[in-house]
Amino acid sequence: MQLLGITILIGFLAGLVARWTTPGRGVGGFLLTIMVGIAGALTAAFLGQLMRWYEPGQSAGFVGSLAGAVILLAGYHLMARDR
């Protein structure tokens, strides 16, 4: 349970940095930034464990979470742009 809390906190911070570094005007607000960051952190941790980069139960860390958040945020911008 503590690991999930740490992953969410890292994801929150990674979402803020990803939002700041991703070019383009953001469509969503603060809540979307938090959700994308957390989703990026959880996705990076899951994929890292699946590829055996991390041990089971190990978090992706800030850099992995930031990469996951940037990828998800860029994908969101591409999908939102087409509308």
Side-chain angles (χ1 to χ4, degrees):
M1 189 66 171
Q2 182 183 5
L3 180 64
L4 183 61
I6 291 170
T7 302
I8 290 173
L9 178 63
I10 290 172
F12 170 74
L13 296 173
L16 291 177
V17 173
R19 176 72 174 222
W20 180 62
T21 59
T22 304
R25 180 172 163 84
V27 178
F30 187 70
L31 185 60
L32 178 70
T33 301
I34 294 170
M35 292 187 315
V36 167
I38 292 170
L42 293 173
T43 302
F46 175 73
L47 291 177
Q49 290 173 12
L50 191 66
M51 299 173 116
R52 299 181 192 258
W53 292 342
Y54 308 117
E55 296 294 322
Q58 185 179 6
S59 176
F62 185 72
V63 174
S65 299
L66 180 60
V70 166
I71 290 169
L72 289 179
L73 195 58
Y76 174 78
H77 281 302
L78 287 175
M79 289 176 28
R81 182 181 63 176
D82 291 340
R83 289 186 202 174

